[in-house]
Amino acid sequence: MSLPHAILTALLEKPSSGLELTRRFDKSIGYFWSATHQQIYRELGRLEQAGHIRALPSPVPVRGRRKEYEVLPAGRAELGDWVARSEDPKPMRSALLLRMRAAAMVGAPGLRAELERHLALHRGQLEEYRAIEDRDFPPERRRTEPDRLRHLVLRGGIDLERFWVEWLTGALAELDREE
Amino acid sequence: MSLPHAILTALLEKPSSGLELTRRFDKSIGYFWSATHQQIYRELGRLEQAGHIRALPSPVPVRGRRKEYEVLPAGRAELGDWVARSEDPKPMRSALLLRMRAAAMVGAPGLRAELERHLALHRGQLEEYRAIEDRDFPPERRRTEPDRLRHLVLRGGIDLERFWVEWLTGALAELDREE
DNA sequence: TGGTGCATGTAAGGAGTTACATGATTCG
DNA sequence: CGAATCATGTAACTCCTTACATGCACCA
């Protein structure tokens, strides 16, 4: 049940249309929560239904016509409740680690290449996030508490990508020692 | 579509009943793929249907009576195909990071406590995995290629937990600097 | 014989994914 | 006016989660 709260947060930061939200989820929001445009439009409908958000004044609501949403007080309250809730970390599911474990049983012709491919992907993601950090969090924007929190979250994304880059590098070295 | 392959891998390592599989997923397999017993029984049914596994000889199949499964050649082949496939890493979804970002918008009374709670959980998980490493991977079991692969996978789980322990520790220190 | 644990399931619903559909706008 | 692009959706499906149901074995 986190997607609606991700959307509420994004809309509080800046009222947006569905497509704008999709773009923001693709780039800057994606480092802590990902979503497709189908999910976003469905959830926008539900949030509007629930009275948590509303479409900004528009003459006639027509399919294909841009709709801008903003958060209503009820939506802000709901988000406040959710933030205060406790929630355990979801148990892990890594298809890559599973592949490695399966490879131990049935052999692994292309495993090395797959690890290298993932390494390249994580390196790319890391660069993207670092660029966002340079752009959105220059030193002077790390002072107020909200900015410090947002920067911390981005650091989470960056540090995780760095973790995978380092881990995959080590794993490849370990694989090489054997062959 | 990874759960069936997780089960095939587990059954290749050691033929098991549904409940035994559930226990193995809860403890040692959980560090790369998690699953509940409901998922497991459903998937065992599908795998049997597909001819990838079979229930070991039992007089009469009765509900409530234990069933042991083993992998058939077709299942091993299917797993081999899957291992050779490429798959991109799933984009991230962290409810904790999302909470922090939302807290930047609506305030965060209990956020520190929630971070500390997660820190304790990850510390606990880390200790469990380390115990598994001591028990299952003593130095002499790190020589053959399959063992080295399996150990590498466990290292992945351990290193990820260590990552979160360190990251959360740093985040808490960062939060303190402000107040 | 009745409870407790073991073992295997069913049912319902929520969340995410993939493929496709439709209207509006812009631009050559 | 035709094509590309912007923008908003629908539909179908798979997967996961949560709650509940049922049968067997043991043992006090």
Side-chain angles (χ1 to χ4, degrees), chain A residues 1 3 33 36 38-39 42 46 62-65:
Chain A
M1 275 284 291
L3 176 57
W33 202 271
T36 63
Q38 292 90 335
Q39 284 178 277
R42 192 179 340 131
R46 289 181 192 161
V62 188
R63 187 190 173 110
R65 185 80 67 73

Side-chain angles (χ1 to χ4, degrees), chain B residues 105-153:
Chain B
M105 287 309 296
V106 298
L111 188 61
R112 237 203 92 89
E114 178 71 353
L115 291 186
E116 272 164 359
R117 207 177 62 85
H118 279 246
L119 178 53
L121 288 172
H122 285 293
R123 271 203 235 272
Q125 196 61 257
L126 177 56
E127 280 321 302
E128 275 186 47
Y129 290 167
R130 270 216 261 254
I132 293 178
E133 186 178 34
D134 287 345
R135 177 168 47 91
D136 292 355
F137 297 97
E140 68 271 18
R141 285 213 45 204
R142 301 182 187 179
R143 302 228 182 83
T144 75
E145 160 127 352
D147 275 340
R148 287 162 60 87
L149 264 178
R150 276 187 284 265
H151 183 230
L152 208 46
V153 173

Side-chain angles (χ1 to χ4, degrees), chain A residues 88-93, chain B residues 30 33-35:
Chain A
D88 286 354
K90 291 260 166 279
M92 140 123 121
R93 257 169 208 155
Chain B
W33 200 271
S34 78

Side-chain angles (χ1 to χ4, degrees), chain B residues 12-160:
Chain B
L12 274 177
E13 291 172 352
K14 175 170 160 23
S16 307
S17 67
L19 192 62
E20 275 169 349
L21 275 179
T22 302
R23 297 226 171 90
R24 291 172 61 201
F25 271 79
D26 278 346
K27 40 176 221 122
S28 44
I29 299 184
Y31 55 80
F32 58 90
W33 200 271
S34 78
T36 63
H37 75 107
Q38 292 90 335
Q39 282 178 277
I40 289 169
Y41 283 115
R42 190 173 349 119
E43 205 59 47
L44 283 172
R46 288 182 194 162
L47 285 167
E48 191 176 21
Q49 198 75 26
H52 290 162
I53 63 175
R54 64 158 188 168
L56 287 185
S58 149
V60 199
V62 189
R63 184 190 175 113
R65 186 80 67 72
R66 176 196 179 69
K67 270 193 294 188
E68 188 105 342
Y69 290 96
E70 70 172 4
V71 178
L72 295 172
R76 181 181 276 268
E78 163 59 31
L79 187 60
D81 285 354
W82 180 81
V83 169
R85 253 171 253 159
S86 271
E87 191 175 346
D88 286 354
K90 292 260 166 275
M92 146 122 119
R93 258 168 207 152
S94 163
L96 183 64
L97 290 182
L98 172 55
R99 262 194 181 78
M100 292 174 67
R101 180 89 175 210
M105 287 309 296
V106 298
L111 188 61
R112 237 203 92 89
E114 178 71 353
L115 291 186
E116 272 164 359
R117 207 177 62 85
H118 279 246
L119 178 53
L121 288 172
H122 285 293
R123 271 203 235 272
Q125 196 61 257
L126 177 56
E127 280 321 302
E128 275 186 47
Y129 290 167
R130 270 216 261 254
I132 293 178
E133 186 178 34
D134 287 345
R135 177 168 47 91
D136 292 355
F137 297 97
E140 68 271 18
R141 285 213 45 204
R142 301 182 187 179
R143 302 228 182 83
T144 75
E145 160 127 352
D147 275 340
R148 287 162 60 87
L149 264 178
R150 276 187 284 265
H151 183 230
L152 208 46
V153 173
L154 173 55
R155 287 306 308 180
I158 290 175
D159 293 344
L160 238 197

